[in-house]
Amino acid sequence: MSRVYNFSAGPAVLPEEVLKEAASEMLDYKGTGMSVMEMSHRSPAFQQIIDDAEADLRELMNIPDNYKVLFLQGGASTQFSAIPMNLKKNGKAAYIVTGQWAKKAAQEAEKYLDVVRVASSEDKTFSYIPDCSDLDIPEDADYVYICENNTIYGTKYKTLPNTKGHILVSDVSSCFLSEPVDVSKYGIIYGGVQKNIGPAGMAIVIIREDLIPEELDSNVPTMLAFKTQADAGSLYNTPPCYTIYMCGKVFKWLKAMGGLEVMKERNEKKAKILYDFLDQSDMFKGTVVPEDRSLMNVPFVTGDEELDAKFVKEAKAAGFENLKGHRTVGGMRASIYNAMPIEGVEALVEFMKKFEEENK
Ligand SMILES: *Cc1c(COP(=O)(O)O)cnc(C)c1O
């Protein structure tokens, strides 16, 4: 068996310890004589899995008691519609557009309410985060929406926008659990899990209880109503059982690593190795303004498309997978999520140095 260094933006690298443990439980989960994949979601064994997952996530993120944790199918994109449907009161929401995912979320929300785009960084290919300290947010906006870490462009909000008292909704798909956050600053903080937590197909939605509509709205599909899911403890129908199980294992791994403070330090250290190299390289350049750089997704270019392609090809042959940039940006992107070991980043930088030397 040989494992590569996988720099995929998502689905992405998972901790090897977690994969091994899951493999060891594949045929017989804790004496049940079956795999978690074969198990009833109404069984005591599965109830324990989902309860432990929620408890461990609450501990890791220090989630206040007045927030619900929902494990929901359909990835992050399904929430692009569920959020406006559930939060709509006045029928207006403010969106800050910092990349493709925020753009898609705004487009989807437009089906259900008036969307006011209060800021955007599209003028410079989303290579920065706009100043959000004094935005013109409509008084009657039901919420302010952001995508906190822009997976494709490699930018991250270092300070949250001034919402002027409005509810903040944040998509944290690609920075989930990468550092501590103050959950109480958000109305909803949510993300798809396949970037930094587990297998694809699920979103975790952390929502302040008072934002869950008390009545079921007949215009909102039952499955998309937060009330349905909150009342049923995310077990209204068959949930993505195996994904929940894997996420639970990653939460335990994060706790064993020392929690989110330690992950933050580790992630800063890893990102610094790569950014420091980019800043001194004559060949490779980062594409994001330094002050808004993501710790998780690092896009870079040589400025020459042929050289980019050569780099990606040779990197792959050397065991560095999925370094090709997103089709809308080109160049390269290294996603260095929680589960990417420091050695992976060090080895990548060594490879880049060698490539630069050989292709002067
Ligand atoms: C990947 C991604 C999404 C989409 O996630 P799906 O689970 O595929 O719907 C949304 N937002 C961000 C920030 C992402 O990185």
Side-chain angles (χ1 to χ4, degrees), residues 55-76:
D56 286 334
L57 180 65
R58 283 187 176 278
E59 188 182 325
L60 277 169
M61 290 181 74
N62 203 8
I63 300 174
D65 289 341
N66 63 327
Y67 283 73
K68 289 276 190 201
V69 174
L70 307 177
F71 299 104
L72 304 179
Q73 293 179 49

Side-chain angles (χ1 to χ4, degrees), residues 74-77 80 101 147 149 151 171 173-174 192 194-195:
S77 300
F80 295 172
W101 295 117
C147 176
N149 184 79
T151 324
D171 173 358
S173 294
S174 50
Q194 77 277 22
K195 308 287 161 65

Side-chain angles (χ1 to χ4, degrees), residues 9-11 74-80 100-102 104-105 145 147-152 171-175 190-195 200-203 297 333 337:
S77 300
T78 302
Q79 297 308 313
F80 295 172
Q100 293 291 349
W101 295 117
K104 279 193 178 170
Y145 184 100
C147 176
E148 204 161 323
N149 184 79
N150 295 281
T151 324
I152 296 172
D171 173 358
V172 294
S173 294
S174 50
C175 59
Y190 84 98
V193 297
Q194 77 277 22
K195 308 287 161 65
M202 188 172 86
N297 310 99
R333 171 179 49 172
Y337 297 119

